[in-house]
Amino acid sequence: MAYITLRVLHGADRGRVFDRVPTPVTIGREEGNSIQLNDERISRYHLKLQADNDKIVATDLESTNGTKVNGEDIQVRIVRDGDMISLGRSLLLVGSHSDIDRRIAARHPEGENGRGTQLRERMRRFEAQNSDVIEDVGSVRSPLLPSESPPLPERLSPAQSAELSELLEYVQNVLRTATEGAVMRGNAEKVELEFPDWQAILDLQARLAQLLREIGGG
């Protein structure tokens, strides 16, 4: 059985720690949830956290005001120690101090230009701040966010790998076609696109948003 620790950094329940709660976990206003929060902007059953393939998956339960992870709206998302989950007026930090330290150590072994020490100090300062000054909890991002793209899914079947490749190729083709006709202006300070190319990018954005909703609803 997988466990998860959540610490409330902002909101009416600030300071509460839900230590090593067994998954699956539901969060909401109702008493029937694994974690009940006193926040009128949170839905009765707002968010579910469950374990799958050694990862924790967050799924928004079609809440009224939505869920954000590290400042991004989500339908379904892998969450890791050090991530920030915002729902309603509440901000939750995933992981205990030791959980977060292990994630930092795995990414930045000691002696690697002091990067691990810097990240630990940044996390401690963030956790210790007066959260009353946070005007928009939905904009809060974890200091541990990597700069590289997220990893590809693991343990895919051959058919799933082929379907994912097909989707990524579709995105790549739309972006390549749209940017081939780009024109640099003003000493490369601006780039101009033809309207059909710009519209293709907007259509792609809408299609991806639709796919995310479908995945989350599944």
Side-chain angles (χ1 to χ4, degrees):
M1 178 181 295
Y3 298 85
I4 187 170
T5 295
L6 297 168
R7 291 181 277 161
V8 185
L9 299 186
H10 185 85
D13 296 280
R14 184 177 62 179
R16 294 184 67 185
V17 178
F18 302 93
D19 187 38
R20 287 183 56 79
V21 182
T23 57
V25 175
T26 59
I27 303 174
R29 293 198 326 268
E30 290 287 305
E31 292 183 0
N33 288 282
S34 311
I35 295 176
Q36 182 184 15
L37 296 178
N38 299 308
D39 188 332
E40 70 277 5
R41 291 183 60 82
I42 291 178
S43 296
R44 294 169 58 246
Y45 292 91
H46 194 110
L47 180 69
K48 182 177 182 179
L49 301 167
Q50 59 189 334
D52 184 45
N53 287 341
D54 302 322
K55 295 179 174 62
I56 300 296
V57 181
T59 305
D60 182 84
L61 300 176
E62 299 183 0
S63 63
T64 301
N65 294 311
T67 301
K68 291 188 176 183
V69 174
N70 297 322
E72 299 293 336
D73 291 310
I74 66 110
Q75 297 291 327
V76 60
R77 176 71 58 88
I78 300 291
V79 293
R80 301 171 175 85
D81 296 321
D83 283 346
M84 308 289 174
I85 301 175
S86 61
L87 53 168
R89 294 188 174 91
S90 301
L91 179 66
L92 310 181
L93 172 62
V94 178
S96 64
H97 293 297
S98 58
D99 292 333
I100 293 171
D101 285 347
R102 279 193 293 271
R103 180 184 178 190
I104 294 173
R107 287 176 51 196
H108 302 283
E110 291 300 330
E112 187 185 333
N113 300 322
R115 179 60 174 162
T117 299
Q118 295 172 9
L119 282 174
R120 277 189 286 273
E121 291 176 353
R122 287 184 63 190
M123 283 300 302
R124 295 293 187 268
R125 288 197 299 270
F126 184 89
E127 295 170 41
Q129 72 173 315
N130 181 355
S131 64
D132 286 336
V133 304
I134 301 177
E135 296 182 0
D136 179 12
V137 296
S139 66
V140 178
R141 298 166 60 85
S142 171
L144 303 186
L145 279 180
S147 57
E148 66 272 12
S149 63
L152 289 171
E154 300 173 352
R155 306 177 186 177
L156 295 177
S157 69
Q160 290 171 328
S161 297
E163 289 173 338
L164 178 60
S165 296
E166 187 176 11
L167 175 61
L168 293 178
E169 287 171 1
Y170 165 73
V171 173
Q172 182 187 43
N173 288 335
V174 171
L175 293 177
R176 183 182 64 244
T177 301
T179 55
E180 280 178 347
V183 178
M184 307 291 283
R185 301 292 188 192
N187 296 323
E189 293 181 358
K190 292 183 179 181
V191 176
E192 291 184 1
L193 295 175
E194 295 291 334
F195 182 78
D197 295 330
W198 173 243
Q199 187 63 51
I201 293 176
L202 294 180
D203 291 343
L204 174 62
Q205 182 182 29
R207 176 58 179 153
L208 292 175
Q210 179 183 356
L211 289 174
L212 287 172
R213 287 193 297 271
E214 292 175 1
I215 292 171

